Every structure is written in structure tokens, then in C-alpha cells.
């Protein structure tokens, strides 16, 4: 009886291990903020870890944690009576996201699998700061100041609808491309809605 219990426990552990998969990876991120007819694009990188569990018939459920860093820099100018103030505008942001996805795994060719996934992602902006450096060429003066966008009213929380495609190579390496669209307004004003979307490409190692 004891031997049967040991064998059953070993089989159960093997089944759970086979059905579960842990991955860790990183990649490039391109984000766009749109406010009516205006838009701003930022680039950066992300690092993430995820846990997936098979539920049968080729489907799996996954949950993860992602850190994202974004930065953009644009020239800025402001006209005055008879001269201009020239400068540069730089924005840096840090996000944490919790992606919850449904996956469908399709065996492909030569040891490769196609993984289609979609689901919500809960995103939180940990930090968003804008730095402005400007100089006045006539008077020869310059200055720099930094704004904390979250403290100034930027809404940090977002719910993102995400979908993408991955290619698993030999059960060890995963190449992924995905798109996410944020449904919540970051400005918090009905007449000035600000939403964020992003493209991601990355590579992960499967454990």
C-alpha cells in the first residue's frame, strides 16, 4: 500500500511538472500615447517572468510579472515677442504589469510550436517624470526642471487588452510578438482623454 501511494505521488508530481511551465525573458517595447489627434511615441525595454499551466486540448492559462522602462526625447520650443526659447523635453517612465493570458498551443514543424495568446493585463505606472531643459540664445541663460507626472494628475492604473503570437523552438526558446491597448484614461478628464498602446517583441527561456 505504501509503495502504491509513493508511485501515485510520483506520477502526480510528474504530471504537474509536465503541465506547468516557467519562462523568463526580455525584449524591446514601443509605446504610443494618444490624445485626440496628438500622439507621442516612446521606446524602451521590458523584462518578465511567467508561469503557465496546461488545462487540456492544447489550451493553457498563464500569469506573469513584467517590468517596463520607457523613454522619449523631443525638441521643444516656445516663441516670445522677438526671440525663441529652445530646448529639449525628456520623459522617463517605469511600469509594472500583471498579464493574465489564455494560450492555445499548436504543434508546428520540426520541434517548433505556435502559441496564440490573449487576455487582460493590469498595469501600474510606478514613476513618470518629464524633464525640460531650455536655453535662451539671446540672453545666454539656461535652466532645467523636472515634473512628477503622477503627482500632477497622470492616472497610473490601466487595464490593457493584449494579444500575440509566440514561436517555441525545441521547448527551450520562445520568440514573441504582441500588441496591447489600454482601455483606461490616464488624464482623468472627459474632454481630454489620454490612452496608451504598445508593441512588444522579445525572447524568453523556457524552464
Amino acid at each position: 500500500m505504501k509503495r502504491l501511494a509513493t508511485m501515485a505521488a510520483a506520477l502526480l508530481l510528474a504530471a504537474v511538472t509536465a503541465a506547468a511551465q516557467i519562462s523568463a525573458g526580455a525584449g524591446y517595447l514601443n509605446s504610443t500615447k494618444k490624445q485626440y489627434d496628438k500622439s507621442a511615441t516612446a521606446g524602451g525595454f521590458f523584462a518578465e517572468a511567467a508561469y503557465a499551466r496546461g488545462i487540456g486540448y492544447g489550451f493553457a492559462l498563464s500569469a506573469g510579472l513584467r517590468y517596463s522602462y520607457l523613454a522619449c526625447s523631443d525638441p521643444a520650443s516656445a516663441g516670445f515677442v522677438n526671440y525663441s526659447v529652445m530646448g529639449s523635453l525628456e520623459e522617463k517612465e517605469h511600469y509594472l504589469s500583471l498579464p493574465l493570458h489564455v494560450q492555445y498551443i499548436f504543434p508546428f514543424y520540426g520541434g517548433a510550436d505556435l502559441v496564440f495568446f490573449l487576455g487582460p493585463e493590469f498595469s501600474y505606472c510606478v514613476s513618470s517624470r518629464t524633464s525640460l531643459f531650455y536655453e535662451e540664445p539671446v540672453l545666454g541663460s539656461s535652466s532645467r526642471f523636472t515634473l512628477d507626472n503622477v503627482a500632477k494628475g497622470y492616472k497610473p492604473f490601466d487595464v490593457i487588452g493584449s494579444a500575440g503570437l509566440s514561436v517555441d523552438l525545441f521547448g527551450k526558446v520562445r520568440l514573441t510578438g504582441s500588441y496591447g491597448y489600454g482601455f483606461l484614461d490616464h488624464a482623468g478628464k472627459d474632454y481630454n482623454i489620454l490612452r496608451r498602446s504598445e508593441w512588444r517583441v522579445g525572447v524568453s527561456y523556457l524552464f
Side-chain angles (χ1 to χ4, degrees), residues 21 52 58-60 62 101-108 112-118 163-169 173-177 206:
Q21 187 173 70
F59 288 94
S62 70
H101 292 152
V102 176
Q103 301 177 344
Y104 179 73
I105 304 168
F106 179 77
F108 193 50
D113 293 332
L114 297 181
V115 182
F116 303 90
F117 61 90
L118 75 156
L165 172 65
S166 298
V167 179
D168 289 359
L169 302 175
V173 178
R174 172 171 292 173
L175 307 176
T176 302
L206 306 177

Side-chain angles (χ1 to χ4, degrees), residues 142-185:
S142 63
S143 182
R144 176 187 294 271
F145 64 90
T146 301
L147 296 176
D148 185 334
N149 297 321
V150 175
K152 290 294 183 179
Y154 181 76
K155 306 300 181 184
F157 185 68
D158 201 357
V159 177
I160 298 174
S162 179
L165 172 65
S166 298
V167 179
D168 289 359
L169 302 175
F170 311 108
K172 289 297 182 182
V173 178
R174 172 171 292 173
L175 307 176
T176 302
S178 64
Y179 173 77
Y181 179 82
F183 291 103
L184 300 187
D185 175 24

Side-chain angles (χ1 to χ4, degrees), residues 59-128:
F59 288 94
L61 300 177
S62 70
L65 176 64
R66 180 190 304 123
Y67 164 76
S68 302
Y69 169 79
L70 291 166
C72 69
S73 180
D74 292 309
S77 65
F80 286 85
V81 178
N82 56 1
Y83 59 90
S84 293
V85 175
M86 304 299 296
S88 61
L89 190 70
E90 185 178 57
E91 184 178 72
K92 296 181 179 180
E93 295 184 313
H94 304 266
Y95 288 87
L96 286 177
S97 303
L98 297 173
L100 303 175
H101 292 152
V102 176
Q103 301 177 344
Y104 179 73
I105 304 168
F106 179 77
F108 193 50
Y109 177 77
D113 293 332
L114 297 181
V115 182
F116 303 90
F117 61 90
L118 75 156
E121 299 186 3
F122 302 94
S123 174
Y124 186 81
C125 180
V126 179
S127 174
S128 176

Side-chain angles (χ1 to χ4, degrees), residues 124-142:
Y124 186 81
C125 180
V126 179
S127 174
S128 176
R129 295 181 181 275
T130 300
S131 297
L132 176 63
F133 171 78
Y134 65 91
E135 57 184 0
E136 198 291 298
V138 176
L139 301 178
S141 61
S142 63

Side-chain angles (χ1 to χ4, degrees), residues 31-35 38-42 72 74 91 196-197:
S31 174
T32 300
K33 291 179 180 177
K34 190 169 184 179
Q35 203 164 25
K38 299 178 181 179
S39 62
T41 301
C72 69
D74 292 309
E91 184 178 72
R196 192 173 72 88
S197 61

